[in-house]
Amino acid sequence: MTSKTIYDWIDERLGLSELAAFARHKTVPVHSQSFWYYWGGIALFLFLVQCFTGVLLLVYYRPGAEAYESVRQITFVMHFGWLIRSAHAWSANLMIFAILVHMFSVYFMKAYRKPREFGWLSGMALLGIASVFGFSGYLLPMDELSYFATKVGLEIPTAIPWVGSAIANMLRGGPEVGEFTVQRFFALHVVVLPAIFVPLLAFHLWLVQRHGNAVPPSIEALPPEQRESMPFMPNFLRKDLAMWLVSLNILALLASVFPWSLGKQADSLVPAPAGIHPEWYFMSPFEMLKLLGMVKWLQGEPGEIAGILLFTLGIVLWILIPFYDTKKDSGQRARAANYFGLLAIFALLATTVIGYWTIR
Amino acid sequence: MNYPFWDIPILGSGWVIGIIAIFHVMISQFAVGGGMYLPLAERKAQRMADPYLREEWLKQLVRHSKFFLLVTGIYGTISGVGIWFAIGLTNPEATSTLIHNFVFGWAMEWVFFLVELATAAVYYYTWNRIDAKLHLVVGWVYAGASIATLVIINGILTFMLTPGDTWLAVAGTGHEAGNFWNAFFNPTYWPSLLLRSCVCCALAGIWALITASRIDGDKHPALKISMVQWSVKWLVPSFVAMPFLMIWYYMMVPASQQALLSLGIDTINAGTFSAVTRMALVIIVTSATIIGVAYFLAYRSPVDFNLSHAMAVLLLALIATGAGEYSREMLRKPYVIGHWMFSNSVRVPHVDRLNRDGYLTRSEWVWNGSSSSYSHGEAIFRGECGSCHTLNGYRPLAELLAGRDRANIGNFITMLHEYKADSPYRKFMPPMVGTRQDVDDLTDYLNAQVNPKLTQVVQK
């Protein structure tokens, strides 16, 4: 009785019944490829884990000259500090992986077509910001590996004609990676990026609610009476939460068995150790630039510029795919888009494998 | 050392036991829990008022007992023998000590094991062929025999962690077997027995969910709902009692082992030793997930509970079991038998003699002088380090010592040799035993592995 009174009191003011009614009527398509629907939710869950662990890390992390020492204390002195840091780092990597899987599943289900173009564009923007999250967070411990990997990464913009050096200096806070860079990256990581990411994520989720889950073209071609669906509440939600639990277990296992360690403190005066490489999700562009630089007539600066141009062109084409592949029937453009998607997967995988294969 | 060393590069011999043992524990504890599950389920079916549901339950139990017989009777038996084979090769000294103390314990276990095997087969093959009451009696005989195997093996396993002061007082005198019951009912016996019993119940429910998940919920909704929900209830005792039993177990292990368990709370240093804490975390997370999935996916919506869900729960149980067994093994460090034998098979009271006479003086299987195919230092490495380390695989010494020159490696080994009271390595590593020459020979060997190019230059 009391709980009903409390519910009614809140409902009268916030309209909970309307939300419940909406959730009751919402359905999710059921077909052989429904598995891919969970990946957006998994990415969201991992983002929430990062918010939680990130706030806890914020309590002890000290940007600037003491960055390394504070991370050392978190990892080796504070109770369960290593766990929070490992969970944060692993969930970041797993989130990028989940977003990539989500992106390719959306791509091959043609879920970018009308009326979901904004869903695709906002998703791509979220992936872009998530990558910058990764890049800025990687430097924060200021150990040897993160220092030199960031140094190499920030040299890439210098290849842009005329403005390249200015952009690189602005990001670094000077001509070299140092404590000013850490300060900038920290501000970017905990204030600027979340301030952009969270509203964009809300917009993305609102679009998903508005347009519902897309189905693959083969299912879309079926008459409505032959399509199956399940109620979002509680059936899909229960399965979605089970996937969150699975993700939590994978995360706990990785964080416990392979805790994120800390290398030597970064020292700009010593030469870069062997084996410096970017995070796995940057390995592909990094390797593409390296491979283009090895072409005989593209060696040096022309190769770098050609690499950046080629990569930018690929990304622009990828982002604009909803405006190219627009028709529901599987015509020539739909096939071309599929080939383009397969080419992108092949290029990403091949260059990543080559990148890791050739680390010295 | 009276036995040859079994060298397993990359993987390390410990993992040979570990891989077999983790799967074996999953199956053998299912054999015990399932032994109680089957007769209780049969009795429940026989008492059902609805004749249709009773028949459906009994048919399902026939299917489940076939699955049970195949899994426990074949894999459980083969992996059990596999463990014997592997421990005999990996740690013959410790195996010998256990056999000398518990030979009658093991004999009893094997008798119960034979009863278990025979009744499991009789139970399955006599469904609907003998009187229902007699069939149930066969089930109860199986359950009793399987519980007896757990009661016995638990005494031997817990002895290795906490042999107890009474047994330690007579260890090495030749009168150890006279203290059989003291060694058997050692300090961690009861908490461990209750912990394992709870795990057995939980595993009985989890394995039963595998067969129950395959029932067609559309055709037999009543059967699927009742069977899935009843199986989930088998997880309840374990998850209610487990936290308290774990605390009891923790309180019964020696203070040095308690320190090892909490070492990883504030650091990931100390290599794999802080992993004990991390593995304990994995057990907590996976166990909580199992109960969550079992309640929300199985108990609340049994009709939709399918084989992939059941496999996910089983996989989580496998992870929890693996983490649990790994933690239990690691908790014994630096001993393989608490305060009596170090993990590299050196007996605690033999340290002074080996330091005086040399490590290899009585190791004729390993070292027979200069005609051996490997050096004196390598023989010491195989004997003293090889039970826990490999050169380039699991806990790789080449990597752990990387960056050190010969003097530095020598200092490190000397520190292990001196084994001072304040040495942090005493928590989890045995001493390096042997003469000064042994220390130098081991240093030379490890230096040649860690700094091969430098060593070649010096030799030229």
Side-chain angles (χ1 to χ4, degrees):
Chain A
M1 187 65 190
T2 316
S3 58
K4 192 180 180 313
T5 314
I6 295 170
Y7 177 82
D8 288 345
W9 189 87
I10 299 173
D11 183 33
E12 207 177 340
R13 283 149 185 87
L14 299 179
L16 292 182
S17 323
E18 289 164 33
L19 274 176
F22 171 76
R24 264 199 306 278
H25 291 113
K26 184 178 162 57
T27 57
V28 176
V30 176
H31 48 80
S32 58
Q33 290 159 49
S34 299
F35 171 71
W36 302 108
Y37 289 147
Y38 298 108
W39 286 89
I42 293 172
L44 174 64
F45 167 71
L46 293 164
F47 175 69
L48 295 176
V49 171
Q50 281 172 87
C51 292
F52 176 68
T53 52
V55 169
L56 290 178
L57 289 173
L58 206 56
V59 175
Y60 290 104
Y61 179 73
R62 301 189 293 277
E66 284 189 272
Y68 179 84
E69 176 56 20
S70 64
V71 177
R72 193 195 66 74
Q73 286 174 358
I74 289 169
T75 313
F76 299 112
V77 179
M78 277 147 198
H79 283 195
F80 294 112
W82 61 268
L83 178 65
I84 301 300
R85 181 169 168 246
S86 296
H88 191 75
W90 272 114
S91 60
N93 281 275
L94 291 174
M95 184 184 83
I96 301 254
F97 178 75
I99 294 177
L100 285 173
V101 174
H102 179 52
M103 179 187 76
F104 280 111
S105 65
V106 164
Y107 186 92
F108 286 109
M109 277 198 207
K110 309 277 186 195
Y112 48 71
R113 284 174 177 171
K114 183 186 169 187
R116 298 186 174 83
E117 293 94 335
F118 277 114
W120 171 259
L121 294 174
S122 57
M124 290 304 298
L126 287 170
L127 174 61
I129 300 169
S131 317
V132 184
F133 259 123
F135 187 66
S136 56
Y138 195 54
L139 175 71
L140 298 185
M142 269 303 260
D143 65 357
E144 216 170 36
L145 185 65
S146 67
Y147 170 80
F148 283 106
T150 308
K151 194 174 172 181
V152 173
L154 287 179
E155 274 163 15
I156 293 172
T158 54
I160 302 170
W162 302 299
V163 291
S165 298
I167 292 172
N169 284 344
M170 187 187 74
L171 290 169
R172 283 190 295 246
E176 286 295 330
V177 173
E179 59 186 89
F180 292 113
T181 324
V182 177
Q183 204 80 39
R184 275 163 196 240
F185 275 38
F186 178 69
L188 200 64
H189 195 76
V190 303
V191 179
V192 180
L193 293 176
I196 305 169
F197 193 88
V198 172
L200 199 57
L201 179 63
F203 175 63
H204 188 75
L205 292 173
W206 175 73
L207 287 172
V208 174
Q209 296 309 313
R210 182 174 167 75
H211 299 302
N213 293 73
V215 290
S218 59
I219 305 294
E220 205 170 21
L222 294 173
E225 63 275 10
Q226 286 184 23
R227 294 189 208 165
E228 288 180 38
S229 64
M230 68 168 126
F232 177 81
M233 195 86 144
N235 300 44
F236 184 78
L237 184 66
R238 197 180 285 154
K239 288 174 187 249
D240 215 13
L241 289 177
M243 292 304 280
W244 285 29
L245 265 180
V246 170
S247 310
L248 177 68
N249 275 267
I250 292 170
L251 179 62
L253 201 62
L254 288 170
S256 299
V257 179
F258 307 107
W260 217 260
S261 197
L262 185 68
K264 286 181 192 166
Q265 186 164 11
D267 184 351
S268 58
L269 298 176
V270 301
I276 289 296
H277 60 87
E279 285 279 71
W280 63 271
Y281 42 88
F282 288 125
M283 186 57 104
S284 177
F286 179 72
E287 188 60 26
M288 277 186 203
L289 288 179
K290 245 170 69 180
L291 289 174
L292 277 168
M294 287 160 73
V295 177
K296 196 175 177 184
W297 40 274
L298 278 177
Q299 278 177 351
E301 200 173 302
E304 288 176 11
I305 295 172
I308 289 173
L309 280 176
L310 188 69
F311 204 75
T312 310
L313 181 67
I315 290 173
V316 169
L317 289 177
W318 186 259
I319 292 172
L320 294 179
I321 202 74
F323 307 105
Y324 170 78
D325 177 19
T326 51
K327 293 188 179 163
K328 286 194 173 180
D329 54 333
S330 56
Q332 198 180 346
R333 287 191 170 200
R335 280 198 300 278
N338 280 345
Y339 291 137
F340 184 50
L342 291 173
L343 179 71
I345 290 181
F346 174 76
L348 277 176
L349 288 178
T351 46
T352 303
V353 170
I354 294 169
Y356 276 101
W357 194 268
T358 52
I359 287 173
R360 283 181 198 93
Chain B
M1 301 301 102
N2 301 318
Y3 302 95
F5 296 137
W6 194 38
D7 186 31
I8 302 286
I10 309 297
L11 186 64
S13 54
W15 267 113
V16 176
I17 301 177
I19 290 167
I20 303 171
I22 287 168
F23 285 97
H24 178 74
V25 168
M26 276 286 286
I27 307 290
S28 60
Q29 295 191 341
F30 168 44
V32 177
M36 292 185 283
Y37 178 97
L38 278 168
L40 279 171
E42 189 182 351
R43 194 181 67 159
K44 181 181 166 63
Q46 284 172 0
R47 291 177 179 183
M48 279 176 178
D50 179 354
Y52 173 74
L53 192 57
R54 180 171 65 230
E55 281 308 304
E56 291 283 296
W57 258 66
L58 290 171
K59 280 181 193 165
Q60 174 61 21
L61 288 176
V62 174
R63 287 191 287 271
H64 183 60
S65 58
K66 183 181 183 182
F67 173 72
F68 179 82
L69 177 67
L70 289 173
V71 172
T72 62
I74 297 176
Y75 188 82
T77 313
I78 293 171
S79 58
V81 175
I83 289 182
W84 268 105
F85 200 71
I87 63 167
L89 286 168
T90 302
N91 214 322
E93 290 283 352
T95 309
S96 164
T97 303
L98 292 181
I99 289 175
H100 279 89
N101 280 279
F102 294 108
V103 67
F104 287 110
W106 257 312
M108 283 190 281
E109 200 220 352
W110 276 74
V111 170
F112 285 119
F113 179 58
L114 286 173
V115 173
E116 199 184 346
L117 271 183
T119 46
V122 171
Y123 186 78
Y124 171 67
Y125 286 108
T126 55
W127 273 109
N128 304 318
R129 291 184 181 177
I130 59 172
D131 176 61
K133 279 186 181 171
L134 183 60
H135 188 262
L136 194 54
V137 170
V138 174
W140 284 119
V141 173
Y142 173 85
S146 61
I147 290 170
T149 59
L150 174 71
V151 165
I152 294 168
I153 198 67
N154 180 63
I156 300 168
L157 287 175
T158 50
F159 162 82
M160 293 171 78
L161 175 65
T162 49
D165 293 339
T166 313
W167 185 86
L168 284 171
V170 295
T173 62
H175 299 288
E176 298 94 330
N179 284 276
F180 177 92
W181 294 112
N182 294 96
F184 191 83
F185 291 113
N186 59 77
T188 49
Y189 179 85
W190 292 109
S192 170
L193 182 67
L194 293 178
L195 259 176
R196 284 185 184 276
S197 302
C198 284
V199 173
C200 290
C201 280
L203 282 174
I206 288 168
W207 280 100
L209 284 174
I210 295 282
T211 47
S213 69
R214 298 189 70 205
I215 300 168
D216 189 335
D218 294 327
K219 286 183 184 166
H220 311 280
L223 171 67
K224 185 153 189 181
I225 290 169
S226 56
M227 193 52 102
V228 167
Q229 289 187 335
W230 197 71
S231 301
V232 169
K233 286 176 185 169
W234 280 73
L235 277 78
V236 175
S238 148
F239 288 97
V240 171
M242 200 87 103
F244 304 104
L245 292 172
M246 280 182 143
I247 292 169
W248 185 16
Y249 184 82
Y250 177 78
M251 287 165 70
M252 296 311 289
V253 301
S256 53
Q257 266 58 36
Q258 285 178 353
L260 202 55
L261 196 59
S262 55
L263 180 69
I265 286 178
D266 51 22
T267 186
I268 53 168
N269 259 344
T272 46
F273 294 97
S274 56
V276 183
T277 318
R278 301 204 295 272
M279 289 299 117
L281 278 176
V282 170
I283 298 170
I284 292 167
V285 173
T286 46
S287 303
T289 307
I290 289 171
I291 201 74
V293 171
Y295 179 71
F296 285 108
L297 287 188
Y299 194 81
R300 293 291 298 271
S301 51
V303 176
D304 294 332
F305 190 73
N306 59 35
L307 184 61
S308 51
H309 297 145
M311 291 297 289
V313 175
L314 186 68
L315 183 66
L316 286 169
L318 181 67
I319 294 170
T321 306
E325 291 303 305
Y326 182 85
S327 303
R328 188 182 57 76
E329 286 289 317
M330 290 293 289
L331 208 54
R332 282 205 305 259
K333 305 286 177 185
Y335 305 103
V336 65
I337 297 174
H339 298 278
W340 170 246
M341 187 181 287
F342 287 111
S343 49
N344 57 6
S345 298
V346 172
R347 285 180 172 80
V348 175
H350 292 185
V351 170
D352 289 340
R353 196 197 73 207
L354 291 168
N355 281 345
R356 189 182 62 238
D357 301 344
Y359 175 69
L360 294 172
T361 46
R362 297 189 190 186
S363 302
E364 289 175 9
W365 286 98
V366 180
W367 178 252
N368 56 6
S370 54
S371 63
S372 283
S373 57
Y374 40 77
S375 68
H376 196 243
E378 185 174 357
I380 295 171
F381 166 77
R382 288 184 178 211
E384 296 210 44
C385 319
S387 52
C388 299
H389 291 277
T390 62
L391 267 182
N392 296 300
Y394 182 60
R395 294 183 187 145
L397 277 186
E399 194 180 297
L400 294 169
L401 296 173
R404 294 173 187 256
D405 59 13
R406 192 200 174 283
N408 213 317
I409 293 170
N411 289 341
F412 182 74
I413 294 172
T414 304
M415 182 184 65
L416 289 177
H417 176 65
E418 291 171 350
Y419 214 55
K420 287 179 181 167
D422 59 347
S423 167
Y425 288 91
R426 279 180 80 104
K427 281 182 187 170
F428 40 77
M429 277 185 75
M432 188 272 152
V433 297
T435 59
R436 188 66 238 175
Q437 186 60 48
D438 288 346
V439 172
D440 286 344
D441 289 346
L442 180 61
T443 304
D444 285 337
Y445 172 71
L446 288 175
N447 182 44
Q449 308 307 314
V450 176
N451 305 305
K453 287 178 184 168
L454 205 63
T455 311
Q456 284 166 8
V457 171
V458 172
Q459 282 171 350
K460 278 177 188 174

